[in-house]
Amino acid sequence: MLLGAHMSISGGIFMSLERGKSIGCQTIQIFTKNATQWKVKPLTEKDIADYQEHQRETGIRPVVVHDSYLINLASPVHEPHEKSIEAFFIEMERAEQLGIPYLIFHPGGHLGSGEEEGVKRIADSINRVYKRAGGFSLKLLLETTAGQGTNLGYSFEQLAGIIDLVHKKESMGVCYDTCHTFAAGYDIRDKSSYNKTFEEFDRVIGLERLKVFHINDSKKGLGSRIDRHEHIGKGMLGIDAFRLLLNDKRFKDIPMILETPKGKEMKEDIMNLKILQGLIR
Ligand code: MN
Ligand code: MN
Ligand code: ZN
């Protein structure tokens, strides 16, 4: 299994690789910029060279990117929507420059304009950025969401609906967040619910589109539609769900990345990784 965690880029993007290596990550997720700010300085040649050198040295692969939290491709309001598209393109460009294969993003919130309208606006936005991103080899991964507020992406049908409207379908994939999907109402706590959920994923979206797992326990219950991450085995999902996932041979080459709560040090990541390692038979 390919296990890792979200890593800070404080001190330079390449530092995320050193941090990941220091706690035994085989894969990591990063932001390539401050996730709570719009503005960003372009990457320099040195940023890119440092990153690539450290990636070679650490052997961490793949590295995946998560986009900024400010971006909302479903926004019905003209100005923030345009701003989101511009910022999203920059996210794509930065990931591509670094040679990163996947950009993970939350589909977006329709803010009262309706779900169907929101799904269309997300797909239109993706079509626009891909038009501009001609030769990019980057894939875009829609993240499954808890469906908090007006956020879309809480049902497999909605994600499939977005992909269906995107022209460059071969570049679309899905990131399955175990906390979000459980909060959205998909159970995986025992063998039979686990099988049912992934059968449904396969039927509606296709397992071949599943490229990354975010591996988080959930503070809130099944169908709560509330997004609160918890340490592995300490939440409402519970340890058995993770045991099933970590021993599922279909997913042995799919990065599984922790986004569990943590402080400045990485003690919590070390603890969660150790728990996950211990589940593998
Ligand atoms: Mn996310
Ligand atoms: Mn996530
Ligand atoms: Zn979340």
Side-chain angles (χ1 to χ4, degrees):
M1 294 310 202
L2 277 176
L3 292 176
H6 185 99
M7 287 292 132
S8 156
I9 58 163
S10 159
I13 297 180
F14 73 93
M15 283 295 294
S16 61
L17 293 156
E18 292 303 317
R19 289 190 179 94
K21 180 80 183 176
S22 76
I23 62 163
C25 292
Q26 296 159 279
T27 177
I28 59 169
Q29 174 175 276
I30 59 172
F31 298 122
T32 70
K33 55 182 280 293
N34 187 316
T36 58
Q37 279 178 22
W38 289 105
K39 62 171 203 308
V40 60
K41 272 190 277 170
L43 292 174
T44 64
E45 268 171 44
K46 184 167 189 306
D47 292 333
I48 297 168
D50 285 347
Y51 169 84
Q52 285 171 344
E53 187 190 320
H54 282 82
Q55 194 187 9
R56 264 195 310 276
E57 279 170 16
T58 58
I60 292 179
R61 180 175 307 268
V63 175
V64 305
V65 170
H66 194 294
D67 78 336
S68 157
Y69 292 133
L70 301 173
I71 294 173
N72 181 6
L73 298 180
S75 175
V77 189
H78 183 71
E79 204 213 346
H81 184 237
E82 290 300 315
K83 205 171 177 181
S84 291
I85 290 188
E86 182 59 28
F88 192 70
F89 180 75
I90 291 169
E91 294 275 2
M92 289 173 73
E93 207 173 30
R94 293 169 74 82
E96 185 77 13
Q97 284 176 315
L98 293 168
I100 285 171
Y102 302 131
L103 173 62
I104 296 164
F105 66 109
H106 299 187
H110 65 73
L111 308 177
S113 62
E115 298 195 336
E116 204 181 322
E117 188 67 31
V119 162
K120 268 197 220 128
R121 199 168 278 114
I122 294 161
D124 285 347
S125 308
I126 296 170
N127 285 332
R128 270 178 65 186
V129 290
Y130 260 136
K131 208 172 207 171
R132 222 173 128 187
F136 283 26
S137 48
L138 178 75
K139 280 191 162 63
L140 298 180
L141 308 189
L142 292 158
E143 180 166 348
T144 61
T145 69
Q148 210 168 276
T150 66
N151 283 324
L152 297 163
Y154 61 85
S155 78
F156 297 159
E157 283 77 9
Q158 256 167 18
L159 296 170
I162 295 168
I163 295 168
D164 203 46
L165 294 172
V166 170
H167 304 315
K168 207 176 169 199
K169 290 187 179 52
E170 69 277 17
S171 294
M172 297 300 294
V174 172
C175 168
Y176 187 112
D177 185 308
T178 54
C179 163
H180 298 175
T181 318
F182 178 69
Y186 295 95
D187 202 0
I188 55 165
R189 288 175 295 182
D190 55 56
K191 188 85 190 157
S192 93
S193 63
Y194 179 94
N195 287 340
K196 186 169 161 276
T197 289
F198 284 105
E199 265 161 37
E200 198 168 332
F201 187 101
D202 192 34
R203 179 170 49 78
V204 178
I205 300 176
L207 276 178
E208 69 284 355
R209 292 218 189 262
L210 205 170
K211 303 295 185 192
V212 173
F213 278 103
H214 281 167
I215 195 150
N216 307 310
D217 208 328
S218 176
K219 277 199 202 304
K220 303 291 173 177
L222 180 70
S224 63
R225 303 275 293 263
I226 299 173
D227 176 7
R228 295 280 183 282
H229 301 189
E230 181 55 285
H231 295 297
I232 302 301
K234 306 234 162 69
M236 303 291 277
L237 251 176
I239 203 72
D240 288 345
F242 298 102
R243 186 177 289 112
L244 289 163
L245 199 58
L246 281 154
N247 291 290
D248 191 330
K249 294 218 165 51
R250 293 173 296 182
F251 305 140
K252 72 174 187 356
D253 298 321
I254 301 207
M256 297 185 172
I257 296 172
L258 287 161
E259 293 177 316
T260 36
K262 62 174 163 185
K264 251 209 155 57
E265 284 171 70
M266 296 185 284
K267 283 189 287 237
E268 294 91 345
D269 284 340
I270 295 169
M271 167 190 84
N272 284 310
L273 284 170
K274 204 171 152 203
I275 292 170
L276 293 172
Q277 298 282 10
L279 297 175
I280 302 173
R281 275 191 292 267

